[in-house]
Amino acid sequence: MSGFAPLFYFLITVLVLREGMAFGRANKPENEPRMGIIGAIIDNSSRIGKEERVAIEMAVDDFHATGNQRLALHIRNSQREDPLQAALAARDLIDGQQVQAILGPHTWEETSLVVKVGSETHTPIVSFAEATPKWATELWPFLVQASRDRLKQMEAIADIVQSWEWHRVTVIYQDRDSLANEVLPHLSYALRQVGAEISHLVALQPFASSSLIEELEKIQKDQCRVFVVHLSVPLAAQLFEKAKEMKMMEKDYVWITTDPITSLVNSFNASSISSMQGIIGVKSYFPESGNQFQDFYHTFCRRFRSEHPEEGNNEPGIFAAQAYDAARAVALASTEGSKGRKLLAKLLRSDFHGLSGRIKFTDQNLAPQHVFQIINVVGRSYRELGYWSDGTRFSKTIGEGAINYPSMKDLGPVVWPGEPWYTPKGWTVPIQATTLRIGVPNGSTFKEYVNVEKDPLGNNLSFTGLAIDLFKATLEELPYHLPYELCPFNGRYDSLVEQIHLHKFDAVVGDVAIVSQRYEHAEFTHPYTEAGLVMIVPVMSKTCNKAWLFMRPFTKPMWVLIGAINVYNGFVVWLIERNHCSELKGSVLNQIGSLIWLSFTTLFSLHGGKLHSNLSRMTMVVWLFMALIITQTYTANLASMLTVQQLEPTITDVDALRQSNAMVGYCKGSFVSAYLSEVLGIHNIKEFDSIEEYAEALKSEVIAAAFIEAPLAKIFLRKYCNVFMEAGPTFKVGGFGFVFPRGSPLVPEVTEAMLKVTEIGKLRDLENSMLASLKCLDLDAQKDSGDHSLSPNSFWVLFVFTGGTSTTALVVYTFFIHKSVAECKTNWTIMLAAMKKWANPNRRFSRRDSDTNAESPAIAPNASALQAQV
């Protein structure tokens, strides 16, 4: 039936228009009215309509008081439930009262019918509808929107949700409300921008108590506890009264209201206010200071109290302010008998500061509302928490000097429903599922992570392992109690995850790897282990059958430097001692052999008793000190290499494994099978059920390698530390996590709790305790089995010391000793030549005499004695 309603209203409207036009032509007065006439269509039964009526009448009276022109006002009543009545009232005002413009109505359903009537007669319709579609002013040029667009309040609500770290909201709106078509998309988009989403949309039928209770029962059983209410005022009051009866206005519930509900909170009776304690509201802001508003405020309160004594609150709100401004704009534009397009043009040129802000039309619309007030219903009224402004977000004050805050938390404490001392978390465990069914893999290969055992009688099951202990520790960090039941599952891990999608389990705990294909059925928490797939292979000794093992204690540069420094030191000693030792003389070949012999025998013996020069003795002592340290270091390092086992993998990488087409192993039921064949291109694979089967197959060469997830490889290598080792790269895939249904609010909560367990070190303690129970006697030897070849960096001071000593001896010998010997020989030659000349005056002194006498036996001993002293 609801599908035929729009067509029915359209047909009735056409008939009304046709009859009304005929009636108007028949009864049209001959003379045009000399004074301005305006009409208004108001719902006199609603609080909004009452405020608008009083405000419009006040605007007309103020116009009369400030000008000479008279302005007639004709008001017709409308009914929200029957929009057709508004169209009939518009026809009566236009044809019967000859109005120049019409103010109202308040809803878009009514406005859409009234504007059709106004467009036929070129009568401007100044609408109070909350949200007019953008296409409306283009379709109907005589439609003027006098209320501001309040869709920005959806962004304010989204920022409130983000401030308190809620992730899901339930939206309650009124069915068959065209405004919802504008509000819901804006709210959904704003929530997505802050990382939240709409969990459920609840459409309420007006004046249907039974359906209201049914919908509240449904959302009461749901997990989400944050509700955004966008309803008419009567339906909102009814909603909160029923919610209080059903104990939904207590702890852990969050209620957020929009305009117009929030702007009319003061008009609610005491019973309604008592059922709204703790709600947060967003209301349109307009300045309430200044002489203009104060005069309006006092006059409005007096007149409203007089005309509507049944209302408990007489204060004007945003709807009264915008009705006053609209009536004032129409009154100013209707001077001089303006009608039709002329009146519309003058109206659209309005520009003044009214009660609700600046009145200036752009494309037949006022500027959108950008500032909203945040309130908290407490006691008989509400507390003003602060403001939300587009672009600057939250603030405690408005205007110049206001301090902006990124979060609503900075505005101060909030009184929530039930007045809890904590902030509601925004969700709860569903009532119909008080105990979560947790699936646990029964056939895990590595029992250290998860192990399911029956007691001796076979009646009860015990669940142990690192994953189970971590899950229990994580639940302890949650701010609430989460009942659960562990249930074993026999089957592959993919099938276990799929059980969540089939609603067999509410979660899965165990050594379940996080892979993309499993996200089709479920959602994972943050991984609690490192991600990776490693290759485990047998080991072989590096020290077996190594012919050049004796060279490994030192690096090649070290061996070269040892040889060079020995030859250099031998040369220095040979040069100094060659004139005193006949063994160091002879042919060139004999002297070279003596030099090399002297260089290397010093490493094993000391020739101090055979040396004649102090310089050579000094060189020899430092040289022997260096030789002693090097030989002892070499002996110790070689012994260490022979006693500590050196291991290397039998297969170094996956390419070698693939080329050999050898058999490889993997854990039964894991994702590794698909990864090996689809990603690594290894098809010759075999599955295993236990660690012992792995080890036996690797030892007996049934498989050449085993691919194990990184956290499980720690356990395997801990048990078989000196038999197997990790080889090749680590493939970044997997990592263990807990599994929940897609979109479950438990995921962020459990992830946060798990991170707390990790940060306090509890997860590390659990891992260390698990690994400590696995003993390996050769573990320490394996850790020390690195490459210990020593380089010159370890001995550079020693080499500089011995090289510097030898160089010093060489310099002293070269520049001081040889110079003294040469001078001695020269003096003796001159003295002998002078004596011969004195004995034989007739003989001439020649160079030959000098050379002959230089070889005199009397001179040589003196020179040798001088050299020996040095």
Side-chain angles (χ1 to χ4, degrees), residues 93 183 578 621 671 689 709 728 779 821:
L93 290 172
V183 169
R578 64 187 178 88
V621 170
F671 74 96
D689 294 331
E709 291 153 276
L779 180 62
V821 172

Side-chain angles (χ1 to χ4, degrees), residues 392-628:
T392 58
R393 305 187 78 174
F394 298 97
S395 61
K396 293 183 179 180
T397 59
I398 204 71
E400 296 183 0
I403 301 176
N404 299 316
Y405 302 99
S407 172
M408 181 183 167
K409 293 180 180 179
D410 300 314
L411 299 182
V414 177
V415 178
W416 304 104
E419 300 186 12
W421 58 268
Y422 56 86
T423 300
K425 58 183 178 295
W427 70 276
T428 188
V429 178
I431 295 177
Q432 67 270 23
T434 55
T435 301
L436 297 181
R437 287 178 52 83
I438 309 296
V440 178
N442 192 18
S444 176
T445 302
F446 290 81
K447 306 301 183 184
E448 290 78 8
Y449 265 89
V450 57
N451 185 27
V452 181
E453 292 181 338
K454 291 185 178 180
D455 61 9
L457 298 179
N459 297 326
N460 299 320
L461 294 175
S462 64
F463 299 85
T464 58
L466 175 67
I468 303 299
D469 294 338
L470 176 61
F471 179 70
K472 293 178 179 178
T474 300
L475 295 187
E476 293 176 358
E477 295 296 329
L478 292 176
Y480 49 86
H481 175 65
L482 187 64
Y484 66 91
E485 176 188 3
L486 298 178
C487 306
F489 178 81
N490 295 305
R492 302 182 67 86
Y493 282 80
D494 290 342
S495 299
L496 175 58
V497 174
E498 190 175 359
Q499 299 305 307
I500 293 180
H501 178 69
L502 299 176
H503 304 290
K504 298 295 182 62
F505 293 132
D506 299 308
V508 170
V509 172
D511 51 344
V512 183
I514 303 174
V515 291
S516 59
Q517 64 180 10
R518 293 174 181 171
Y519 265 92
E520 298 177 4
H521 307 295
E523 188 172 348
F524 291 82
T525 63
H526 188 277
Y528 61 86
T529 64
E530 70 271 28
L533 182 67
V534 299
M535 182 174 68
I536 304 298
V537 298
V539 299
M540 62 180 181
S541 177
K542 293 182 179 180
T543 58
C544 296
N545 301 322
K546 297 293 185 178
W548 293 94
L549 180 62
F550 69 92
M551 296 290 291
R552 290 192 58 194
F554 293 143
T555 60
K556 291 180 180 180
M558 182 69 177
W559 283 116
V560 172
L561 187 57
I562 290 175
I565 199 68
N566 280 335
V567 172
Y568 177 69
N569 289 341
F571 169 75
V572 172
V573 173
W574 171 81
L575 182 63
I576 296 174
E577 294 292 332
R578 64 187 178 88
N579 292 327
H580 305 286
C581 184
S582 60
E583 297 177 357
L584 302 180
K585 296 182 179 181
S587 63
V588 175
L589 185 60
N590 182 58
Q591 293 189 50
I592 293 175
S594 299
L595 188 151
I596 296 175
W597 171 82
L598 185 62
S599 299
F600 290 97
T601 56
T602 308
L603 294 173
F604 311 102
S605 63
L606 179 62
H607 304 278
K610 301 178 182 180
L611 301 179
H612 300 81
S613 173
N614 290 333
L615 293 177
S616 60
R617 292 191 184 103
M618 177 181 67
T619 301
M620 187 64 70
V621 170
V622 177
W623 186 10
L624 183 62
F625 176 71
M626 181 204 73
L628 179 64

Side-chain angles (χ1 to χ4, degrees), residues 11-156:
L11 294 176
I12 294 297
T13 302
V14 172
L15 294 175
V16 170
L17 291 175
R18 182 177 299 175
E19 295 298 329
M21 293 178 64
F23 176 81
R25 287 192 298 268
N27 297 278
K28 184 176 181 180
E30 297 180 358
N31 299 324
E32 295 291 335
R34 296 181 180 179
M35 66 177 181
I37 305 174
I38 62 174
I41 301 176
I42 303 297
D43 182 6
N44 292 323
S45 62
S46 68
R47 170 72 187 204
I48 295 176
K50 294 175 183 179
E51 289 191 15
E52 290 174 342
R53 182 185 184 109
V54 173
I56 292 174
E57 291 173 348
M58 288 178 58
V60 173
D61 292 344
D62 291 343
F63 179 76
H64 293 163
T66 57
N68 297 324
Q69 185 167 346
R70 304 292 299 174
L71 187 64
L73 175 63
H74 300 277
I75 299 178
R76 296 291 183 268
N77 185 33
S78 69
Q79 297 179 3
R80 183 185 181 94
E81 298 79 20
D82 187 6
L84 185 58
Q85 295 296 324
L88 295 174
R91 173 56 59 192
D92 176 59
L93 290 172
I94 294 174
D95 295 336
Q97 304 299 330
Q98 300 293 307
V99 297
Q100 298 166 261
I102 296 177
L103 296 167
H106 186 75
T107 66
W108 171 244
E109 289 83 359
E110 296 172 311
T111 301
S112 61
L113 297 178
V114 171
V115 73
K116 294 178 183 178
V117 179
S119 297
E120 292 289 338
T121 58
H122 292 183
T123 302
I125 307 298
V126 184
S127 172
F128 296 151
E130 293 181 31
T132 301
K134 294 181 179 179
W135 51 263
T137 53
E138 299 177 0
L139 180 62
W140 297 304
F142 282 86
L143 173 62
V144 179
Q145 184 67 24
S147 63
R148 301 181 187 275
D149 186 347
R150 299 185 182 92
L151 292 177
K152 281 291 181 179
Q153 68 177 314
M154 302 305 153
E155 296 183 19

Side-chain angles (χ1 to χ4, degrees), residues 36 96 99 245 336 347 509 659 674 704 844 850:
V99 297
E245 293 177 5
E336 300 177 359
L347 178 62
V509 172
Q659 293 173 3
R844 305 178 71 182
S850 174

